[in-house]
Amino acid sequence: METVDIASKIISVPVPNDGIMEEETNAYIIHSPEQGGPVVVVDPGSAAGTEVILAALAKLGDPPVRDILLTHAHVDHAAGAAALREATGAPIWLHPDDLPVAERLKEPLPVDHYLKDGQTFEVAGLVFDAVLTPGHAAGHVVFVERNSGVTLAGDLVHGRGTVGIFPPYGSMRAYLASLQRLLDRGVTRLLPGHGPVIEDGPARLRRYIEHRLAREEQIAEYLAAGVTTIPDLVARIYPDLAPRNVYAARSTVYAHLEKLIEDGRVIQEGADEQATYRLVR
């Protein structure tokens, strides 16, 4: 496959977050320094980052923004989209399965167009296919450059670690299927929503699948040993967990348990904070 020159065609813009999370979000501007013309912005980030995006566009000579594409509607990726739309006039694209999450944002998200699986976007001499990859979010979409396999991956992957799964809008079963779908597609470099570029995308996708399946078996082993609640499972699995990561850890463990229940391997007894889990004998 031809390798896309990321430095000249796809610009990563680190966008600060509104105290929601410590790390920045990678917004991406797709443009053509040789051809000029309109640009596309992917995941403009939180509302705090709108001025950062506009400053980056100014350095490019204030090209017209044709589209604002959202991989999903989580606040650290989408909350700045409305202000960027107002400043540039560019329409916002989001997959409709993520509308329930968009409705939870503090400020309304004016979605102009719905993304479809397989939809094509041509910009700056590149061709991107929108690929539906639910799991982290119900309507999560990545954008795969057709000729190179370079992928704007949103939160399907993380440049430094793993990705949280947050039921009811996230699903571990769907997430594993999405990782496999992208692996089967033959992607190359992954440009994540957080952290550095992942040069060997297939290796990272395989590692994620192996990690999640191993975590599933670890949870089953703890259940067999009599560890039956989510807080106790989290304490065993993540003994050095920072307080800010507790919610993500509990949600992801719950997502694993949901999959184990769907697989017929685990039974839930009780509900909410009082729920306990046990293996099917």
Side-chain angles (χ1 to χ4, degrees):
M1 284 187 173
E2 174 191 357
T3 300
V4 171
D5 183 357
I6 293 177
S8 65
K9 291 280 190 178
I10 307 175
I11 299 173
S12 177
V13 182
V15 174
N17 284 302
D18 301 303
I20 303 152
M21 53 196 302
E22 291 187 349
E23 62 186 342
E24 297 169 317
T25 297
N26 296 328
Y28 293 99
I29 300 174
I30 307 170
H31 81 124
S32 175
E34 301 87 7
Q35 300 173 4
V39 304
V40 167
V41 176
V42 179
D43 283 358
S46 72
T50 303
E51 294 302 320
V52 176
I53 297 292
L54 292 174
L57 290 169
K59 288 182 179 180
L60 297 175
D62 283 320
V65 179
R66 192 188 72 197
D67 297 296
I68 300 168
L69 307 183
L70 300 179
T71 61
H72 61 302
H74 286 173
V75 63
D76 55 317
H77 291 256
L84 186 63
R85 175 182 182 265
E86 183 176 354
T88 65
I92 295 171
W93 294 74
L94 178 73
H95 193 278
D97 286 355
D98 239 35
L99 288 176
V101 175
E103 292 168 358
R104 295 162 63 92
L105 295 174
K106 290 182 179 179
E107 299 296 330
L109 180 63
V111 178
D112 298 288
H113 304 294
Y114 292 147
L115 287 168
K116 297 178 181 178
D117 185 39
Q119 189 166 357
T120 297
F121 292 88
E122 296 186 28
V123 58
L126 306 175
V127 181
F128 291 89
D129 295 320
V131 180
L132 182 61
T133 51
H136 176 73
H140 192 284
V141 171
V142 303
F143 301 97
V144 182
E145 207 285 310
R146 185 178 295 177
N147 297 314
S148 68
V150 170
T151 300
L152 298 164
D155 278 352
L156 184 74
V157 294
H158 193 295
R160 296 187 180 89
T162 56
V163 173
I165 309 298
F166 304 93
Y169 302 109
S171 161
M172 188 61 67
R173 182 180 299 282
Y175 182 62
L176 285 166
S178 292
L179 293 172
Q180 188 63 51
R181 184 183 190 195
L182 212 57
L183 184 60
D184 292 343
R185 192 180 175 92
V187 298
T188 55
R189 281 185 282 180
L190 303 178
L191 279 59
H194 307 279
V197 171
I198 299 167
E199 295 293 343
D200 190 342
R204 181 64 61 89
L205 293 170
R206 286 191 291 269
R207 191 187 316 162
Y208 269 31
I209 293 170
E210 292 168 1
H211 169 74
R212 289 301 180 192
L213 293 177
R215 181 73 78 210
E216 181 177 298
E217 293 309 312
Q218 182 186 30
I219 289 171
E221 290 171 5
Y222 276 128
L223 292 174
V227 183
T228 62
T229 69
I230 290 176
D232 287 344
L233 285 166
V234 168
R236 296 291 187 94
I237 296 168
Y238 309 101
D240 301 317
L241 188 66
R244 68 177 181 274
N245 295 326
V246 168
Y247 173 72
R250 288 189 176 186
S251 295
T252 300
V253 167
Y254 179 52
H256 275 293
L257 289 166
E258 276 195 330
K259 180 177 179 296
L260 286 165
I261 292 169
E262 293 164 2
D263 291 342
R265 297 180 62 190
V266 167
I267 292 175
Q268 177 179 334
E269 298 173 337
D272 301 325
E273 297 297 324
Q274 287 72 44
T276 60
Y277 302 85
R278 62 177 177 85
L279 288 178
V280 174
R281 301 297 181 184

